Amino acid sequence: MPFGPPSTHDLKIFDVMPVPNETTFNAGVPAQSTTNEMLSIILYSPNLEIIASLDNTKSAVTSDYNVSVSNGFTFTTTQSVSVKTSVGISIEIVTASVETTFALSFSEQWNTTRTQGMSFSCPPGKKAFVYQGTLISRVMALNAQTAQYEWFSAAGKALTQVLVTTEAPIGNAPSSPVTMK
């Protein structure tokens, strides 16, 4: 008989992929299961991923850039997961050049990826770098038959609704990931 995850837990974002155990399981986003496993979406390795880089330093006019930005969980095409309850977290990004805090709310809407168009402008003589907050996501299961915690899926990505724009690239190069703490 299918069953859902426990109703109370502490959501945590891990720096690296954690070991599958009860503590890790309880630190994830509860997910709906139609099988004999309890599921939890584990989040780790928070980063910023560059989505746009505009160099307008040799122009006398404003440059505009349009891009499609997705948010939600991206797993392989054969995977589908449904968030059981609404869960919120707060994340702080701290680097030498960026400090920002944001909140995320995971709810049923996060079971698929949603894409929306975004427009960015860069004034004459300036550069702009646009980053999106990302988290690695992986589903962990508590197997009802073996009572063991195990990884239920390959790693995917949780694309957040967080966009950070800077005048200079973060890190050594525009594509360098930045750890969020």
Side-chain angles (χ1 to χ4, degrees), residues 62-101:
T62 298
S63 294
D64 296 316
Y65 180 78
N66 297 309
V67 65
S68 293
V69 178
S70 298
N71 59 64
F73 292 114
T74 60
F75 294 105
T76 65
T77 56
T78 59
Q79 294 171 304
S80 178
V81 67
S82 179
V83 176
K84 177 141 174 79
T85 59
S86 183
V87 179
I89 56 171
S90 179
I91 301 171
E92 183 178 6
I93 303 171
V94 179
T95 69
S97 58
V98 173
E99 183 172 342
T100 187
T101 302

Side-chain angles (χ1 to χ4, degrees), residues 27 32 37 66 92 108 142 160:
Q32 191 73 35
E37 293 89 14
N66 297 309
E92 183 178 6
E108 189 63 35
L142 172 56
T160 74

Side-chain angles (χ1 to χ4, degrees), residues 4 10 21 54 72 112:
D10 294 322
N21 60 31
L54 294 86
T112 59

Side-chain angles (χ1 to χ4, degrees), residues 127-174:
K127 291 181 182 181
F129 300 89
V130 183
Y131 296 86
Q132 181 176 22
T134 64
L135 301 166
I136 302 298
S137 55
R138 193 163 182 192
V139 178
M140 181 182 291
L142 172 56
N143 187 307
Q145 294 176 344
T146 65
Q148 297 293 311
Y149 293 94
E150 53 200 32
W151 292 116
F152 187 74
S153 71
K157 192 183 286 188
L159 302 167
T160 74
Q161 299 158 337
V162 174
L163 297 177
V164 176
T165 304
T166 62
E167 292 180 0
I170 297 173
N172 297 328

